[in-house]
Amino acid sequence: PHSSIMAGFSDLCDLILQSDIYNEALREKVQTSLGPDADLLVRAVSNISSFLDEANFTSRQVKYESVLVKFKAVCKNFLRAMSSPEHPVVFFLDDIQWMDQGTCEIIKFLLQDDGELSNI
């Protein structure tokens, strides 16, 4: 599940890591935004770990009931950290009829945003 959106996050990380906008301030912004739940996203998108201090996050057991809620929140926080008015993020959704249920739930969650993702 979540394969298409996680592929998009991975591509976004690769693009930023190769660009001139990657710096310590952005790395700290991502680290702070993801907080203790960073490991949930790192499990799905390993190159996000390039934005994190490995000493500051540890993989831990999370109750199944709270995983989806935390995962959606950490995805939102990641996008918020990676975007700015100077560098907005654009997601192009193609062939959404093939989207898995998990990705669909995350997209719905992001679309119901309360304005925190104004640069997406």
Side-chain angles (χ1 to χ4, degrees):
H2 313 111
S3 60
S4 56
I5 198 161
M6 294 304 107
F9 284 6
S10 180
D11 290 348
L12 176 61
C13 287
D14 288 342
L15 287 170
I16 289 178
L17 287 168
Q18 296 169 12
S19 75
D20 60 346
I21 65 168
Y22 178 71
N23 57 33
E24 186 64 20
L26 178 60
R27 195 194 63 71
E28 288 179 13
K29 184 178 176 184
V30 172
Q31 176 81 34
T32 302
S33 293
L34 299 183
D37 295 325
D39 61 307
L40 294 174
L41 202 51
V42 170
R43 291 179 198 175
V45 185
S46 61
N47 59 350
I48 288 177
S49 64
S50 299
F51 294 89
L52 306 171
D53 291 333
E54 295 205 22
N56 291 342
F57 78 92
T58 58
S59 186
R60 66 202 187 317
Q61 294 292 340
V62 180
K63 290 184 180 179
Y64 178 77
E65 299 82 34
S66 66
V67 170
L68 186 57
V69 172
K70 287 179 178 281
F71 189 71
K72 288 177 185 178
V74 81
C75 287
K76 181 186 219 180
N77 291 340
F78 173 71
L79 287 174
R80 187 180 322 126
M82 296 297 267
S83 63
S84 69
E86 299 82 25
H87 301 285
V89 173
V90 176
F91 270 97
F92 178 76
L93 303 175
D94 190 21
D95 295 327
I96 61 174
Q97 71 273 18
W98 305 116
M99 187 179 341
D100 61 74
Q101 185 62 35
T103 299
C104 186
E105 289 179 25
I106 290 175
I107 297 295
K108 285 180 186 178
F109 178 76
L110 296 174
L111 290 175
Q112 295 170 353
D113 181 58
D114 53 9
E116 294 179 5
L117 294 178
S118 59
N119 299 310
I120 303 293

